Amino acid sequence: MSEHTTALRLRPPAHRVSRRAIGYWTVTASILWIILIGVQTLIAVTSDDTPSFLTVTLVLSCVLCPLHLIVMPQWRYRVHRWEVTGEAVYTQSGWLKQEWRIAPVSRIQTVDIERDPFEQLFGLAKITVTTASAAGPLRIAGLAHDRALALADELTKTTQAVRGDAT
């Protein structure tokens, strides 16, 4: 191993996302549940002969919805982590299916910040770090907007200072 090569190991990243991400995840999931339950209810109310499977799925939706809205955002907050060092970007995300990723700084090609309307409402942003990896980009979602801006700036400076061809 040369003096410029560092062995990167998969490990839990140090930083959590913003606590405001809990509210964001709850609101965005609520919208999907409202649409699903609304469509099921509309069909059940307007149908002359409501199929029994629809009644079952409507009841299941009404039971699962509050459970999902209580458990999922808290669980995601506990799991989602990130860290940037001089050598790599570390991410951990998911809630049912969890993913841990490492991207060496020398492989970073672009750093993007994105905010959907609800992220803007909650003062959040997500960073996408595109690398020369077949696994695709790393995403850090649920960051406070000002932290995302600072992190993008830090990554850009670090990437420019590291020798490598990002391939």
Side-chain angles (χ1 to χ4, degrees):
M1 195 180 308
S2 74
E3 64 185 70
H4 295 292
T5 304
T6 305
L8 299 176
R9 292 197 170 97
L10 195 58
R11 61 177 175 74
H15 308 292
R16 287 186 183 222
V17 297
S18 170
R19 284 197 63 79
R20 290 178 285 188
I22 295 170
Y24 169 75
W25 290 322
T26 303
V27 167
T28 54
S30 296
I31 292 167
L32 295 175
W33 279 111
I34 288 168
I35 292 168
L36 176 65
I37 292 171
V39 167
Q40 290 172 327
T41 303
L42 183 66
I43 293 170
V45 168
T46 59
S47 177
D48 290 334
D49 186 25
T50 305
S52 59
F53 77 88
L54 182 61
T55 304
V56 171
T57 60
L58 181 56
V59 169
L60 277 174
S61 294
C62 290
V63 170
L64 293 177
C65 171
L67 289 173
H68 180 248
L69 296 178
I70 292 167
V71 173
M72 177 274 297
Q74 297 292 329
W75 187 280
R76 284 182 76 176
Y77 178 73
R78 286 183 177 91
V79 171
H80 281 218
R81 295 181 174 274
W82 64 274
E83 183 177 356
V84 173
T85 67
E87 294 80 36
V89 177
Y90 298 83
T91 64
Q92 179 181 331
S93 62
W95 73 286
L96 287 179
K97 176 187 171 200
Q98 296 180 15
E99 178 181 68
W100 293 29
R101 301 270 311 271
I102 299 174
V105 170
S106 62
R107 306 281 308 240
I108 294 174
Q109 295 175 329
T110 62
V111 178
D112 302 302
I113 297 176
E114 186 180 337
R115 300 175 77 198
D116 67 35
F118 288 108
E119 286 171 319
Q120 292 177 43
L121 182 68
F122 283 90
L124 298 172
K126 70 174 93 30
I127 288 188
T128 302
V129 178
T130 305
T131 66
S133 167
L138 279 79
R139 288 184 180 82
I140 306 170
L143 293 173
H145 183 242
D146 57 343
R147 183 64 184 120
L149 291 172
L151 183 57
D153 187 52
E154 176 186 342
L155 278 170
T156 301
K157 288 177 183 171
T158 303
T159 302
Q160 291 173 348
V162 171
R163 292 181 186 260
D165 62 1
T167 59

